[in-house]
Amino acid sequence: MQAKAQNIIPPKFISPAKLPPIPNISLPSNVPQAISITAPSPEVSSAPPDHHPQLVDDKVAAFWDYQFLFVSQRSETAEPITLRIVDGKIPQDFPLGTYYLTGPGLFTDDHGSTVHPLDGHGYLRTFKIDGARGEVEFMARYIQTEAQVEECDRITGQWRFTHRGPFSVLKGGNMVGNTKVMKNVANTSVLRWAGRLFCLWEGGDPYEIESTTLDTLGRFDIINGRHKLLQDEDATPKVDVWDVAAEILKPILYGVFKMPPKRLLSHYKIDGRRKRLLIMSCNAEDMLLPRSNFTFYEFDSNFKLLQSQEFNIPDHLMIHDWAFTDNYYILFGNRIKLDVAGSMTAVCGLSPMISALSLNASKPTSPIYMLPRFPSESNGQRDWKIPIEAPSQMWVLHVGNAFEEERDENGSSKIQIQASGCSYRWFNFQKMFGYDWQSGKLDPSMMNADQDKLLPHLVQVSVSLDASGDCQNCSVNDLNEWRKPSDFPAINQDFSGCKNTFVYAATSSGSRQALPHFPFDTVVKLNVRDKSISTWSTTRRRFIGEPIFVPKGTGGGGEDDGYLLVVEYAVSTQRCYLVILDSKLIGKTNALVARVEVPRHLNFPLGFHGFWESAGDCGFGN
């Protein structure tokens, strides 16, 4: 079926046979491999490095590979396209359903401005898989957020960035005095719940999408101001200096910078056993104050709010992902602090807004907050405002799972958390993905530091609690002793919040000398019970994103009875593929079940987070 395209400006691609020789392409050994997000000249930028004999040095190839992983895509297809199967076949027992993947789609406009990948406009991709017919249908549309509508001319298809975004500074636009900083691009995660489809961002309302056409329906007020503060019933609310500071900041943040009062986090949780959606928000002004207000909401399968609680924590924290168990919401407290000098330049438009914050590495430990999910039930007498201090200075990025083990005869319990985290010594707000906001370029060396132990890796955090809820021991160890840089831990979602055996993640084989750690090129499967490890890797100069587990749903086959979906980026040929792996066969030669090809003109940049919905789901997600 032919694609119905809207605002299509296909990326240029020139056959290698028509290209002139590329003279003396080399990178000095003492110069970081910094590469521009903006498209180079067509004669050079469109040449796939594998097809040009001069591009044989790995440093030069890495230069191009990293750039093409973040290439902008302006094409869309509003009609489903049947993808070509290039390896294997779609198994007949693959459940009918759709894989939704969102992420940034555009990094450069037509007037000289570039943005950080985290500020790239949301680009939703869908893969509808039909095992009975052996087909995969593909669609891709930009999410028409308020910023996207303003910055993209519907008639000419040209883009002009007007919003700075939290991580970017405009070069070809208004810098000084530009208060358009809350660029809700809906590019971080995607959720299908109660028959409705949403794309989420870290700092605003989700956008609702019509699932059959991918038309944007508009912002959805999922919170609607419904919350209550969890505090002692007999306690009288106290007003302190930070309450006064908050009241001063609110008119500025809400009125001038258009920040929403409650900043919704992009990571949500699904309690499959209770059929509940769990989401979390924080107050906008708390990003600048030494305290944190987190509100948790629980919805049933019809989007009815079942409960909400707000926790006021006396610590300055930044949370991206979190965990839950039967009895607790679990927060890994990534400690931050206000950077006074950075905040002044940020407000003036001379640096990104994120410059107002810096990491607070004053303590050698990491706080873990165990917040009671059901306060009326007995969860011990521990004061939830006092964190458990994990013996590691770890910035937690993503959580795979958390669960409580059964209590022993003394009433003691143990909580296990599987996550990815990195060192405070490596994490840098302004340089994620190697982006340099001053030059508008990417430097792959930042994500490939020599000290690989500082980079994101998989950890298991164990917390032992006595009958009163007091911590007896807390430990942080490499998950299964897997020490290679890794991220995006995933599990069979039927086991979310419950004791699981298998964890899957994206990792690196380390085979690229110039790009040893990132981008990822390998899927790792960890058995946390017998500590076994197995992997599947792409071929040379191909990378992968986040793995997603799809259960077969036949029952009786075990926790790993299903398939893994992962997008493969063949940057050397400017192609994307959806890869289907048999999760039971990871580590064996026949793990690859099928590989389907996205047409070249729809080749898309690296995605962030995805969601799988089987057609037989009863409206409550996985």
Side-chain angles (χ1 to χ4, degrees):
M1 185 180 297
Q2 293 297 317
K4 176 184 177 183
Q6 298 182 355
N7 303 325
I8 292 184
I9 305 177
K12 295 181 180 179
F13 187 92
I14 300 177
S15 169
K18 298 180 181 180
L19 285 171
I22 301 177
N24 300 322
I25 294 183
S26 62
L27 301 177
S29 59
N30 62 336
V31 176
Q33 281 72 59
I35 51 184
S36 175
I37 295 177
T38 56
S41 62
E43 293 78 11
V44 177
S45 69
S46 300
D50 264 354
H51 295 171
H52 209 291
Q54 274 98 336
L55 300 182
V56 294
D57 181 81
D58 194 43
K59 288 185 179 181
V60 177
F63 175 99
W64 289 100
D65 288 354
Y66 203 75
Q67 174 164 317
F68 281 121
L69 191 64
F70 294 95
V71 66
S72 292
Q73 171 58 277
R74 302 188 179 200
S75 300
E76 303 173 286
T77 173
E79 297 278 345
I81 295 176
T82 299
L83 301 184
R84 184 170 71 96
I85 301 174
V86 296
D87 288 305
K89 64 179 182 179
I90 310 300
Q92 287 191 340
D93 64 351
F94 198 101
L96 176 66
T98 303
Y99 171 43
Y100 301 92
L101 174 64
T102 191
L106 196 82
F107 311 104
T108 178
D109 70 1
D110 298 293
H111 300 274
S113 288
T114 64
V115 293
H116 191 288
L118 294 176
D119 291 331
H121 281 286
Y123 188 67
L124 179 60
R125 293 138 270 194
T126 67
F127 299 84
K128 182 180 179 181
I129 305 177
D130 189 334
R133 298 174 59 187
E135 290 183 352
V136 179
E137 291 183 339
F138 176 75
M139 296 175 66
R141 297 285 302 277
Y142 269 99
I143 302 154
Q144 293 181 357
T145 64
E146 293 179 9
Q148 195 269 353
V149 171
E150 178 179 323
E151 296 186 337
C152 179
D153 189 303
R154 289 291 177 271
I155 298 176
T156 65
Q158 286 201 335
W159 295 74
R160 179 188 289 274
F161 293 153
T162 56
H163 292 69
R164 292 162 55 191
F167 295 87
S168 309
V169 168
L170 301 185
K171 295 295 184 182
N174 183 15
M175 291 177 59
V176 178
N178 187 346
T179 60
K180 292 183 177 181
V181 298
M182 294 310 293
K183 187 176 184 176
N184 185 341
V185 286
N187 70 2
T188 310
S189 63
V190 58
L191 168 67
R192 179 80 166 161
W193 187 261
R196 307 172 78 167
L197 178 64
F198 304 95
C199 288
L200 294 84
W201 181 62
E202 194 74 329
D205 291 333
Y207 274 80
E208 185 172 3
I209 310 298
E210 207 287 315
S211 60
T212 56
T213 63
L214 301 190
D215 288 336
T216 301
L217 301 179
R219 286 192 300 171
F220 180 70
D221 184 5
I222 199 170
I223 296 175
N224 199 26
R226 296 170 294 190
H227 65 277
K228 62 180 181 179
L229 180 65
L230 183 68
Q231 58 186 13
D232 297 333
E233 293 183 359
D234 298 331
T236 301
K238 297 180 180 179
V239 178
D240 59 22
V241 65
W242 302 121
D243 292 317
V244 176
E247 292 304 314
I248 296 174
L249 285 172
K250 286 178 182 179
I252 301 173
L253 297 178
Y254 303 168
V256 178
F257 291 104
K258 307 300 182 184
M259 294 186 181
K262 287 204 170 287
R263 188 172 61 87
L264 189 71
L265 269 67
S266 57
H267 280 282
Y268 53 83
K269 303 297 171 182
I270 293 176
D271 185 339
R273 187 170 66 85
R274 291 186 174 91
K275 296 181 176 59
R276 291 188 178 189
L277 169 67
L278 283 58
I279 62 173
M280 173 185 165
S281 70
C282 58
N283 291 2
E285 65 271 13
D286 290 343
M287 295 299 293
L288 304 177
L289 301 176
R291 70 174 190 188
S292 304
N293 291 270
F294 298 108
T295 308
F296 294 85
Y297 310 83
E298 300 202 14
F299 298 86
D300 69 7
S301 58
N302 295 314
F303 251 126
K304 177 184 177 182
L305 181 64
L306 300 177
Q307 68 175 42
S308 62
Q309 298 181 76
E310 181 173 349
F311 299 89
N312 192 332
I313 297 175
D315 206 346
H316 203 181
L317 308 175
M318 174 175 282
I319 307 297
H320 174 62
D321 200 0
W322 51 286
F324 79 96
T325 66
D326 272 344
N327 295 301
Y328 297 101
Y329 305 116
I330 302 175
L331 301 182
F332 286 87
N334 300 327
R335 287 191 172 110
I336 59 175
K337 61 183 178 180
L338 179 66
D339 187 316
V340 177
S343 61
M344 294 179 65
T345 58
V347 169
C348 294
L350 302 177
S351 68
M353 287 301 294
I354 200 67
S355 303
L357 302 175
S358 61
L359 276 65
N360 183 357
S362 60
K363 295 183 179 180
T365 57
S366 299
I368 302 176
Y369 286 90
M370 311 284 294
L371 309 177
R373 187 175 170 189
F374 305 106
S376 59
E377 300 178 8
S378 177
N379 292 319
Q381 304 301 314
R382 187 174 186 280
D383 184 355
W384 53 263
K385 292 186 178 181
I386 301 175
I388 295 168
E389 295 290 347
S392 173
Q393 196 179 65
M394 175 181 59
W395 186 276
V396 172
L397 299 170
H398 296 108
V399 177
N401 195 26
F403 59 87
E404 300 175 49
E405 297 184 354
E406 292 185 7
R407 292 180 180 269
D408 61 20
E409 62 276 7
N410 299 317
S412 300
S413 64
K414 179 176 285 188
I415 296 175
Q416 304 282 4
I417 305 128
Q418 301 149 355
S420 64
C422 62
S423 169
Y424 275 49
R425 292 161 53 195
W426 174 81
F427 190 84
N428 188 311
F429 284 127
Q430 300 181 37
K431 294 185 178 180
M432 291 305 299
F433 296 111
Y435 181 77
D436 184 341
W437 60 268
Q438 293 177 309
S439 64
K441 296 181 179 181
L442 288 167
D443 181 1
S445 66
M446 186 269 178
M447 303 293 288
N448 290 278
D450 292 337
Q451 295 176 294
D452 58 339
K453 291 183 179 180
L454 305 181
L455 298 173
H457 58 286
L458 301 178
V459 297
Q460 177 153 319
V461 181
S462 300
V463 179
S464 298
L465 304 175
D466 64 17
S468 298
D470 292 327
C471 180
Q472 300 300 300
N473 183 59
C474 181
S475 62
V476 179
N477 299 292
D478 292 332
L479 189 61
N480 279 27
E481 298 186 0
W482 181 256
R483 297 183 175 87
K484 291 189 176 182
S486 311
D487 199 2
F488 305 128
I491 65 168
N492 180 337
Q493 284 296 306
D494 291 340
F495 291 79
S496 185
C498 305
K499 190 171 185 177
N500 63 300
T501 299
F502 300 103
V503 179
Y504 311 90
T507 189
S508 177
S509 65
S511 60
R512 289 290 299 275
Q513 184 177 1
L515 299 172
H517 308 312
F518 184 84
F520 299 129
D521 61 5
T522 298
V523 173
V524 60
K525 176 184 179 181
L526 306 175
N527 185 321
V528 297
R529 304 219 178 172
D530 65 17
K531 305 302 180 183
S532 62
I533 299 171
S534 51
T535 62
W536 173 86
S537 296
T538 64
T539 55
R540 184 175 181 269
R541 300 185 62 193
R542 296 190 179 204
F543 307 113
I544 65 167
E546 172 192 57
I548 293 288
F549 183 87
V550 178
K552 289 183 179 179
T554 54
E559 182 186 331
D560 64 340
D561 187 27
Y563 299 99
L564 288 175
L565 299 179
V566 65
V567 172
E568 181 181 74
Y569 302 87
V571 292
S572 60
T573 56
Q574 299 182 37
R575 292 291 180 92
C576 290
Y577 300 87
L578 179 67
V579 173
I580 302 177
L581 304 172
D582 188 321
S583 57
K584 281 184 173 290
L585 299 179
I586 299 296
K588 299 182 179 181
T589 56
N590 57 341
L592 178 67
V593 173
R595 179 184 280 113
V596 294
E597 181 182 70
V598 176
R600 177 178 290 152
H601 74 281
L602 291 170
N603 174 65
F604 53 79
L606 183 71
F608 287 160
H609 297 294
F611 185 89
W612 167 259
E613 182 199 33
S614 292
D617 284 346
C618 300
F620 53 86
N622 296 55

